[in-house]
């Protein structure tokens, strides 16, 4: 007998041992990295850009701010943040190195490399001191993290007092009929598009399943408060297909 049973978690609709999830997630994003940016545009019909701009509108970056962009992937949020701030610095942290490699290429092409650092790491164990950053963002990343509450606790730890967290994530539609229509689109169209464009059905099947499993807006708001964030609020985007959550380290 080996004692305690192993703790399990979701990987899409599969139940897997907790210790396996990060490796499986890395497998998905290593496989999609080179096509990630184009697939985002195709599958969301460009709407992810509108949502990311809405995130910047609410965040209102200011000159000189230091951002930590967790699960930052190819750097979409960091580029937007730095352009809006005028000048500042962003550290992009991600568990999948090949996503960061794509981001670095973009930074070089846009001559922004001096304002960016790229760090391989896990959102649940950030390799930074307490009270380091002015702003923490995580966009379409937290639903992939094995224990999201731990990632939020880490966000709180590394933010300076007065610092701000903003999370952009897929969410739940409050209207059941709309949710059913959206599910029909997601489960039927997205994995097929993944197969057609990226030759990878499984990664996009994981994507839609992970979206369905993520907590609704109010449950996630409670998790921000549990981590210690004050003045925590959310805004729905596109009727709740996605949501922005904001909180402050007061
Ligand atoms: C859907 S992409 C989002 C990329 C980017 N933030 C954006 O909005 O376009 C999700 C990213 O989360 C990263 N990720 C997943 N689990 C992670 C973890 N535990 N710690 C850090 N990054 C993680 C993946 O490697 C992937 O690059």
């Amino acid at each position: 007998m080996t004692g305690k049973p192993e703790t399990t978690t979701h990987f899409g609709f599969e139940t897997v041992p907790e210790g396996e999830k990060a490796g499986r997630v890395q497998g998905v994003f290593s496989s999609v990295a080179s096509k990630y940016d184009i697939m985002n545009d195709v599958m969301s019909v460009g709407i992810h850009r509108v949502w990311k701009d809405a995130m910047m509108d609410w965040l209102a970056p200011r000159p000189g701010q230091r951002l930590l962009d967790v699960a930052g992937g190819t750097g979409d949020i960091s580029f937007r943040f730095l352009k809006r701030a005028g000048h500042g610095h962003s550290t992009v942290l991600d568990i999948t190195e090949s996503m960061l490699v794509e981001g670095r290429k973009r930074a070089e092409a846009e001559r922004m490399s001096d304002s960016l650092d790229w760090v391989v790491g896990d959102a649940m164990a950030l390799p930074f001191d307490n009270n380091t950053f002015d702003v923490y963002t995580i966009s379409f990343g937290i639903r992939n993290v094995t224990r999201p509450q731990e990632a939020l606790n880490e966000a709180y730890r590394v933010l300076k007092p007065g610092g701000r967290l903003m999370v952009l994530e897929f969410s739940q539609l409050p209207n059941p009929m709309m949710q059913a229509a959206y599910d029909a689109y997601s489960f039927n169209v997205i994995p097929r598009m993944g197969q057609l464009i990226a030759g990878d059905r499984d990664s996009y099947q994981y994507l839609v399943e992970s979206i369905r499993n993520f907590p609704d807006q109010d449950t996630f708001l409670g998790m921000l408060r549990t981590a210690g964030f004050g003045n925590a609020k959310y805004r729905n985007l596109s009727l709740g297909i996605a949501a922005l959550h904001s909180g402050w380290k007061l």
Side-chain angles (χ1 to χ4, degrees):
M1 296 295 284
T2 52
K4 271 205 295 187
E6 199 164 9
T7 316
T8 58
T9 187
H10 298 292
F11 177 77
F13 287 169
E14 262 183 79
T15 301
V16 298
E18 268 199 352
E20 271 180 26
K21 176 156 171 164
R24 302 271 301 258
V25 167
Q26 262 177 290
V28 166
F29 288 100
S30 299
S31 145
V32 303
S34 64
K35 301 220 169 62
Y36 177 78
D37 290 319
I38 175 99
M39 283 300 287
N40 260 354
D41 279 334
V42 173
M43 286 181 325
S44 75
V45 223
I47 290 168
H48 78 106
R49 291 172 183 259
V50 177
W51 294 338
K52 287 169 178 167
D53 287 341
M55 182 184 201
M56 290 302 127
D57 290 344
W58 198 10
L59 198 51
R62 292 196 303 278
Q65 281 186 322
R66 195 164 171 200
L67 167 69
L68 175 62
D69 181 19
V70 171
T74 60
D76 250 14
I77 296 304
S78 292
F79 292 127
R80 276 180 172 72
F81 182 91
L82 292 169
K83 283 175 188 162
R84 294 252 192 149
H87 69 93
H89 189 276
S90 176
T91 300
V92 186
L93 176 134
D94 201 286
I95 207 165
T96 310
E97 191 169 13
S98 44
M99 291 288 281
L100 298 177
V101 169
E102 294 301 317
R104 260 200 218 109
K105 288 186 208 159
R106 283 177 65 185
E108 276 162 30
E110 301 203 28
R111 297 180 190 280
M112 290 177 73
S113 301
D114 289 351
S115 310
L116 289 147
D117 286 325
W118 307 87
V119 177
V120 177
D122 189 330
M124 297 190 303
L126 296 173
F128 307 111
D129 291 338
N130 298 349
N131 311 322
T132 300
F133 297 95
D134 301 299
V135 180
Y136 172 111
T137 52
I138 184 162
S139 156
F140 300 119
I142 198 146
R143 73 172 190 286
N144 299 295
V145 173
T146 309
R147 292 181 297 280
Q149 186 66 59
E150 284 182 26
L152 292 172
N153 297 346
E154 277 290 86
Y156 191 85
R157 181 183 68 75
V158 301
L159 276 169
K160 292 177 188 168
R164 182 160 189 200
L165 159 107
M166 196 165 285
V167 184
L168 171 58
E169 190 49 270
F170 290 107
S171 207
Q172 310 293 338
L173 284 150
N175 177 317
M177 269 173 51
M178 282 189 201
Q179 183 70 53
Y182 175 60
D183 281 350
Y185 165 76
S186 317
F187 284 94
N188 292 310
V189 179
I190 291 186
R192 283 199 188 117
M193 276 185 356
Q195 178 61 42
L196 214 67
I197 302 167
D200 182 357
R201 188 191 175 93
D202 291 353
S203 294
Y204 290 89
Q205 183 70 32
Y206 161 72
L207 173 85
V208 291
E209 291 178 0
S210 66
I211 291 170
R212 207 61 183 88
N213 270 339
F214 195 67
D216 65 30
Q217 290 81 331
D218 286 310
T219 309
F220 190 62
L221 190 66
M223 291 168 68
L224 260 65
R225 292 187 175 129
T226 301
F229 287 100
N231 199 13
K233 293 180 178 150
Y234 72 82
R235 292 180 182 173
N236 281 339
L237 300 171
S238 304
L239 304 170
I241 292 178
L244 282 169
H245 281 77
S246 160
W248 297 81
K249 180 165 173 177
L250 297 174

